[in-house]
Amino acid sequence: MKRWIDKVKEEEGSLMVVALLVLVILTLIGMTAAGTTQKEIQIAGNQKDHRIAFHHADSGIYTTPKLISSAFDHGFEPAGSNFTYLGSPGTFYREVMGYDLHDSPRDIRFNLSQMDVDVDVNRLGQELLPGGGAEFASGAEGVGVGSAGGVAIVFNIDSLGQGPASCISNLEAVYRKIVGTP
């Protein structure tokens, strides 16, 4: 029968091998976790950049109807410091009013955080609104007064927003300007 001391002498160094194997496994788990974390950080950064581009394009969709309404209400292209017209002077107004046909290039450029938002406005046509004075020929029912109150002019708004890291977002919306109402 072997004595206890002889058994210990036979197992010398086996604890070191087991400890080394556990350390290797823990190192591999740590490296995998670090790599996964790095990828998740890159994904989150890309999502943030794309979200910024989307919000820039959305701001073009939100702001352009105000410019269209201002052109209708005042009879000329509104001026501002935070946007520029991309065509020759008066082109935007003539296109919005229906004097000129739709041109293919973008009409307005907004600059947000050193990034451009380019917007194209296309007048699609006009429609009579049900329930307006034009429908009932009396001018008292519905929206507005007389035939002008029951007319909606329909526009297609195409907004192209830029974001960091060359991200781009393109949004389209349909806007109805109801003549005679604020």
Side-chain angles (χ1 to χ4, degrees):
M1 182 162 163
K2 289 189 176 181
R3 294 184 327 193
W4 182 77
I5 293 178
D6 292 335
K7 287 182 182 178
V8 170
K9 284 185 178 180
E10 289 175 7
E11 295 178 8
E12 280 182 15
S14 63
L15 184 61
M16 186 72 79
V17 171
V18 170
L20 188 60
L21 285 175
V22 169
L23 284 176
V24 167
I25 291 171
L26 288 176
T27 302
L28 290 175
I29 291 172
M31 289 172 55
T32 303
T36 302
T37 303
Q38 186 64 29
K39 290 292 181 195
E40 291 290 332
I41 289 170
Q42 289 174 348
I43 290 170
N46 288 341
Q47 285 178 337
K48 182 188 86 161
D49 293 345
H50 285 282
R51 210 172 297 125
I52 289 171
F54 173 81
H55 289 296
H56 283 172
D58 190 45
S59 69
I61 294 289
Y62 178 76
T63 306
T64 303
K66 295 176 182 183
L67 296 176
I68 293 170
S69 288
S70 181
F72 266 94
D73 296 342
H74 299 104
F76 56 85
E77 289 181 346
S81 60
N82 58 348
F83 64 91
T84 56
Y85 295 105
L86 299 176
S88 59
T91 303
F92 175 74
Y93 176 75
R94 288 191 309 273
E95 188 176 331
V96 165
M97 296 304 289
Y99 303 143
D100 291 346
L101 295 176
H102 175 250
D103 55 352
S104 56
R106 306 268 174 190
D107 296 313
I108 305 167
R109 175 170 288 159
F110 300 95
N111 192 294
L112 302 172
S113 306
Q114 288 80 35
M115 291 175 223
D116 292 332
V117 178
D118 292 341
V119 179
D120 184 33
V121 177
N122 180 11
R123 181 177 170 145
L124 300 176
Q126 57 276 344
E127 58 188 33
L128 291 176
L129 297 176
E135 182 179 323
F136 294 104
S138 69
E141 297 87 358
V143 180
V145 177
S147 64
V151 175
I153 301 173
V154 182
F155 296 93
N156 182 47
I157 301 172
D158 183 11
S159 181
L160 183 71
Q162 294 179 355
S166 301
C167 292
I168 294 175
S169 183
N170 191 14
L171 297 178
E172 277 192 52
V174 175
Y175 169 65
R176 293 184 345 160
K177 166 65 176 155
I178 301 174
V179 179
T181 60

